[in-house]
Amino acid sequence: MKSFFSRRFLSALTLVGVGLTTSCAFGPGDYKVYTIAVAAEVVDPACPDAGDPEDVAMDVDTYLASGTYYVFAGPEDIFYLDNGVAVLEGMTTDGGFEFSGQSVDVEVNGPQTTTSETRTLVTFNVDGKAVSGTAVTTISYSCTGDGCGDNTTCTRTSPFVGSEIDGVDIEHQI
């Protein structure tokens, strides 16, 4: 399973950040837009599709994926990160924001119970019109019962940097 913020997925995103250091308030219904550049995803060797460590060590990819996020304020100091496909809830931090989401899939098949859990944590720091941060997706697989294999945990990390886009209006067609 690819990261929630894989490079292909990020190429269709827009990052809206909040300028916490500015004098204007950011309340329900407000948003800002940032364009971002995402570095190559760092894949934990424990991931099933991580590849051969010797082959991966020889790979070089200096291209950055282009994207955008939409961050908007909701009621009761809850903030939202919209990537065009899914939305994560979050909150402000001392330096910016932190957004998270979780998906748990439990399957019972006879004497076995398998659980797949995906957790995504997106953190970014706002410094004036600049933003930087990481999107970390952790995928855990566990099995209980007869005939189970090893339980695994896999982490994918996507660092990004960006800049605020001034004068952007978001319009939706129904």
Side-chain angles (χ1 to χ4, degrees):
M1 171 181 235
K2 287 289 184 186
S3 166
F4 181 75
F5 290 94
S6 70
R7 290 186 62 179
R8 285 182 297 211
F9 184 69
L10 282 169
S11 66
L13 299 180
T14 302
L15 171 69
V16 178
V18 176
L20 296 175
T21 60
T22 64
S23 60
C24 60
F26 191 74
D30 292 337
Y31 64 89
K32 290 187 181 183
V33 177
Y34 284 83
T35 186
I36 61 168
V38 182
E41 183 178 62
V42 177
V43 180
D44 183 337
C47 295
D49 60 345
D52 182 347
E54 289 181 23
D55 291 339
V56 172
M58 306 261 314
D59 293 345
V60 175
D61 184 354
T62 60
Y63 289 98
L64 303 176
S66 172
T68 15
Y69 295 152
Y70 302 94
V71 173
F72 56 95
E76 301 179 22
D77 295 326
I78 298 175
F79 292 85
Y80 299 89
L81 171 62
D82 181 346
N83 63 16
V85 175
V87 178
L88 299 176
E89 269 190 9
M91 62 186 167
T92 59
T93 63
D94 288 341
F97 294 94
E98 184 173 281
F99 297 95
S100 62
Q102 173 183 358
S103 172
V104 178
D105 179 30
V106 178
E107 293 185 24
V108 178
N109 187 10
Q112 287 185 348
T113 300
T114 59
T115 304
S116 297
E117 179 179 10
T118 303
R119 290 179 178 263
T120 300
L121 177 65
V122 179
T123 58
F124 61 91
N125 297 311
V126 177
D127 184 9
K129 292 189 176 279
V131 67
S132 63
T134 57
V136 179
T137 299
T138 303
I139 304 154
S140 301
Y141 172 82
S142 63
C143 179
T144 58
D146 295 335
C148 288
D150 293 334
N151 296 335
T152 61
T153 299
C154 165
T155 303
R156 299 171 174 280
T157 304
S158 300
F160 60 87
V161 297
S163 182
E164 182 178 348
I165 301 174
D166 291 325
V168 175
D169 290 326
I170 298 174
E171 295 182 19
H172 297 280
Q173 292 183 352
I174 297 177

